[in-house]
Amino acid sequence: MDVNAAVAAAAAIAGVLTGVIAMLAFRWSEREQKRPTRTSLHTDPVLPPGVDTVLSVLRSSAVVLDEADTVVKASSAAYALGLVRGGRLAVEPMLQMARETRRDGEIRQVELDLPRRGTGRGEALAVSARVAPLGSRLVLLLVEDLTEARRIEAVRRDFVANVSHELKTPVGALSLLSEAVMDASDDPEAVQRFAGRMQIEATRLTNLVQELIDLSRVQNDDPLEDAEPVRVDELVAEAVDRCRHAASTKQITMAAAGTADLAVRGNRGQLAAALGNLVENAVNYSPARTRVGIAARRVAAPGGDMIEIAVTDQGIGISDKDKERIFERFYRVDPARSRATGGTGLGLAIVKHVAASHGGEVTVWSAEGQGSTFTLRLPEAGAARDRAPQRPARAERAGSAGLDAEAGRPTPSSPDSTAYATLPAPEVHP
């Protein structure tokens, strides 16, 4: 009897202990499930309500970090800039700012220059980073890309400096010449000589102001708003007529070919100014008793046929280092020659903007001592082409022969493209 009682008591005690252990295990399991894990800290639900939506519409690159400096949320722009890699913030100065802000709760902002990803050329990416606390455990980093804004500001600053310098030269000359005229009031020959110089400087100043106006208009106006089909032969005739006097003075022959039945679409005034600038440069930089050739042709392109207008001269040529900068505003290959011809250094910049705004481009082939070929490439006016009768180009050359057989220069086109039409016999303009 005593043995049975002992067994029953032991079984009762074991049951109570088992129940207590089960209850403790259940309570411990519930506590562990409620405790935030490292994985749960990195998921979207830890963000305050509405923050995820706000970050998705921000233009700035956004990164949210937790107390372990792990990225909780990052926008696609942040990945594109290379700020986040492998779930971590890859920019050490920004990471240090985030730690300091987490420690004292103060908002911080700094501008940094970061290396571009994959360029290998040392180009800097200018950014503005702002760090602020987000709740009790998170830190928000907003990064704004300032690269384009800085580039525009630099261009504007250089432009103002260049304009000031260019305007100062003729204005200073006019001031000195006017004083010379006053001092030589009793010498009619000196007065006439100084007055002639004043007229030259006044013309140079007028040309500079007019080209600044033209450049501003080209940059601000949309040429395709009032676009119309423009015949290439009319543009060439206008450019040749514009430079006829300067060419005849230097006994330079101007010849054109291949322009019939070709048309481009755009603003007639801008296109005429662009081609006129190319022809004028060719005449100004060519020696006396040489020739300037203008040729046009139609070339096939993926987005539609293009019209190439090439202007070739037998001038001094352009070096490789100058070819990279000749389309910059106020840049001159030969400053002394530009002063003699009254050049402002804006002509090729205008050509570049006109070509780009019309959906085309301008390229250059040149060799020192062999002359240059500038090629203006513009989309063809489809409607004008349909109306024009189709006639084969006359006397086309095989391969990629150049515009000028006497100069022996290749055209800037690819070897497998159709050659420009042969220029007609030289015409001597009296």
Side-chain angles (χ1 to χ4, degrees), residues 162-213:
N162 288 332
V163 168
S164 302
H165 175 75
E166 295 294 333
L167 289 175
K168 183 170 65 175
T169 301
V171 169
L174 287 173
S175 177
L176 292 175
L177 289 170
S178 63
E179 294 179 3
V181 169
M182 294 177 63
D183 294 339
S185 57
D186 55 347
D187 187 351
E189 293 184 2
V191 170
Q192 186 174 7
R193 184 172 65 257
F194 292 142
R197 289 295 307 168
M198 290 179 66
Q199 190 173 23
I200 293 175
E201 295 298 333
T203 301
R204 177 177 300 175
L205 182 60
T206 301
N207 292 338
L208 175 59
V209 173
Q210 183 59 48
E211 290 203 349
L212 287 172
I213 295 174

Side-chain angles (χ1 to χ4, degrees), residues 297-377:
R297 65 171 182 172
R298 179 187 297 113
V299 295
D305 289 352
M306 304 287 287
I307 301 298
E308 286 188 354
I309 308 174
V311 179
T312 299
D313 63 62
Q314 296 174 305
I316 60 176
I318 306 170
S319 65
D320 291 337
K321 65 180 182 67
D322 288 324
K323 279 191 287 189
E324 299 178 357
R325 301 190 58 190
I326 56 176
F327 294 103
E328 296 178 10
R329 301 163 185 158
F330 299 108
Y331 186 80
R332 300 180 178 92
V333 175
D334 186 355
R337 178 72 64 89
S338 296
R339 285 193 296 269
T341 60
T344 62
L346 291 174
L348 291 179
I350 293 175
V351 175
K352 179 181 178 180
H353 282 288
V354 170
S357 62
H358 283 75
E361 62 176 349
V362 58
T363 57
V364 59
W365 176 94
S366 185
E368 291 185 88
Q370 299 185 34
S372 307
T373 297
F374 285 84
T375 303
L376 186 61
R377 210 163 180 260

Side-chain angles (χ1 to χ4, degrees), residues 393-418:
R394 43 180 184 165
E396 290 189 346
R397 297 182 185 178
S400 58
L403 276 171
D404 192 344
E406 296 175 3
R409 292 189 300 275
T411 63
S413 56
S414 58
D416 57 347
S417 59
T418 306

Side-chain angles (χ1 to χ4, degrees), residues 38-360:
R38 182 176 181 85
T39 303
S40 66
L41 286 174
H42 301 161
T43 57
D44 291 344
V46 302
L47 293 176
V51 172
D52 195 5
T53 303
V54 172
L55 295 181
S56 64
V57 299
L58 286 177
R59 297 181 61 183
S60 304
S61 302
V63 180
V64 179
L65 304 175
D66 64 7
E67 63 269 20
D69 293 333
T70 304
V71 175
V72 177
K73 180 74 176 180
S75 64
S76 57
Y79 286 99
L81 289 179
L83 304 180
V84 179
R85 299 176 190 171
R88 308 287 294 184
L89 186 61
V91 183
E92 185 61 32
M94 296 182 186
L95 187 60
Q96 185 63 32
M97 287 174 56
R99 292 169 179 168
E100 294 174 359
T101 296
R102 185 185 300 112
R103 184 170 55 252
D104 55 24
E106 294 185 3
I107 298 175
R108 289 175 169 81
Q109 184 170 353
V110 67
E111 291 188 2
L112 301 171
D113 291 333
L114 307 178
R116 289 182 182 269
R117 296 181 61 185
T119 59
R121 294 180 295 178
E123 296 181 352
L125 184 71
V127 298
S128 174
R130 186 178 180 88
V131 181
L134 184 63
S136 59
R137 296 183 294 107
L138 304 180
V139 173
L140 173 63
L141 171 66
L142 295 177
V143 180
E144 191 75 24
D145 188 357
L146 304 178
T147 307
E148 185 65 16
R150 284 192 180 181
R151 187 191 67 80
I152 294 175
E153 180 60 30
V155 170
R156 183 183 296 110
R157 184 171 56 251
D158 293 343
F159 182 72
V160 171
N162 288 332
V163 168
S164 302
H165 175 75
E166 295 294 333
L167 289 175
K168 183 170 65 175
T169 301
V171 169
L174 287 173
S175 177
L176 292 175
L177 289 170
S178 63
E179 294 179 3
V181 169
M182 294 177 63
D183 294 339
S185 57
D186 55 347
D187 187 351
E189 293 184 2
V191 170
Q192 186 174 7
R193 184 172 65 257
F194 292 142
R197 289 295 307 168
M198 290 179 66
Q199 190 173 23
I200 293 175
E201 295 298 333
T203 301
R204 177 177 300 175
L205 182 60
T206 301
N207 292 338
L208 175 59
V209 173
Q210 183 59 48
E211 290 203 349
L212 287 172
I213 295 174
D214 292 341
L215 181 60
S216 176
R217 184 180 295 115
V218 167
Q219 290 177 319
N220 295 329
D221 293 348
D222 184 1
L224 301 183
E225 287 184 355
D226 54 350
E228 59 176 332
V230 183
R231 293 181 59 88
V232 174
D233 54 358
E234 295 177 359
L235 293 176
V236 172
E238 185 173 341
V240 170
D241 188 65
R242 167 178 166 179
C243 305
R244 190 179 301 277
H245 176 71
S248 62
T249 302
K250 300 173 65 175
Q251 298 182 1
I252 292 177
T253 300
M254 291 188 294
T259 61
D261 305 329
L262 299 179
V264 294
R265 186 169 185 83
N267 184 288
R268 175 182 291 272
Q270 292 188 14
L271 293 173
L275 184 58
N277 286 344
L278 292 180
V279 177
E280 186 175 16
N281 279 354
V283 172
N284 289 338
Y285 286 90
S286 293
R289 292 179 294 279
T290 56
R291 64 182 292 175
V292 171
I294 310 169
R297 65 171 182 172
R298 179 187 297 113
V299 295
D305 289 352
M306 304 287 287
I307 301 298
E308 286 188 354
I309 308 174
V311 179
T312 299
D313 63 62
Q314 296 174 305
I316 60 176
I318 306 170
S319 65
D320 291 337
K321 65 180 182 67
D322 288 324
K323 279 191 287 189
E324 299 178 357
R325 301 190 58 190
I326 56 176
F327 294 103
E328 296 178 10
R329 301 163 185 158
F330 299 108
Y331 186 80
R332 300 180 178 92
V333 175
D334 186 355
R337 178 72 64 89
S338 296
R339 285 193 296 269
T341 60
T344 62
L346 291 174
L348 291 179
I350 293 175
V351 175
K352 179 181 178 180
H353 282 288
V354 170
S357 62
H358 283 75

